[in-house]
Amino acid sequence: MSIKLYTIGFTKKSAELFFEMIKSSNIKKVIDVRLNNVSQLAGFAKRDDLKFFLNEICNCKYEHKPMLAPTQLIFDGYKKKQITWDDFVQQFNRLLVERKIENTISKEDLNNACLLCSEAEPQTCHRRLVAEFLKNCFNDVEIIHL
């Protein structure tokens, strides 16, 4: 059986579009991979609001896994242009190996789950890197970016 692992970013999306994408994709659990999930800048995607809306609108669970986020040092290095995207990828992948994230989440937990971060597009977002890392750890994982 192939596992479907989704990813989504909430910026540049209305709440209506965001929740419709989650609901129409039949996602069972949103795994928040942000380091900080309570920022006022997150709007409808603040932890407590998001947990409530996902349950009420999408009949979907919410889980925060900061171990799937970069450290503040790595994140700031990239955002402040002290390191390149390639450096970020290398440092973050090394961190995922050190944290042994494949031992903290089961393949079954990933099925119809969605990795959530703020970046609008997956190309330069760590959620894509997490999804690809997990795909390499487990067999038969299909990544779908919303």
Side-chain angles (χ1 to χ4, degrees), residues 3-83:
I3 299 291
K4 288 187 177 180
L5 176 60
Y6 296 83
T7 81
I8 193 169
F10 65 83
T11 57
K12 299 184 181 174
K13 287 179 183 68
S14 66
E16 181 180 4
L17 176 61
F18 175 86
F19 291 109
E20 182 53 39
M21 291 173 93
I22 297 290
K23 191 173 184 178
S24 66
S25 298
N26 200 30
I27 290 167
K28 301 297 180 203
K29 180 185 350 178
V30 168
I31 302 170
D32 191 338
V33 299
R34 295 175 290 171
L35 197 55
N36 179 8
N37 65 352
V38 293
S39 169
Q40 293 302 317
L41 299 175
F44 66 84
K46 287 187 298 223
R47 177 193 60 214
D48 295 340
D49 293 338
L50 187 59
K51 185 175 182 179
F52 173 80
F53 291 137
L54 285 169
N55 184 50
E56 291 294 314
I57 299 169
C58 305
N59 193 28
C60 179
K61 294 182 175 146
Y62 170 84
E63 190 175 331
H64 183 221
K65 286 201 171 274
M67 68 180 356
L68 301 180
T71 63
Q72 195 66 53
L73 186 67
I74 295 172
F75 185 72
D76 286 346
Y78 177 66
K79 288 296 179 186
K80 294 177 181 176
K81 301 189 185 316
Q82 296 165 337
I83 63 172

Side-chain angles (χ1 to χ4, degrees), residues 28 30 38 49 85 94 98 111 113 121 126 138:
K28 301 297 180 203
V30 168
V38 293
D49 293 338
W85 174 249
R94 189 168 39 243
E98 289 169 7
N111 195 29
E121 299 297 326
H126 75 279
F138 303 116

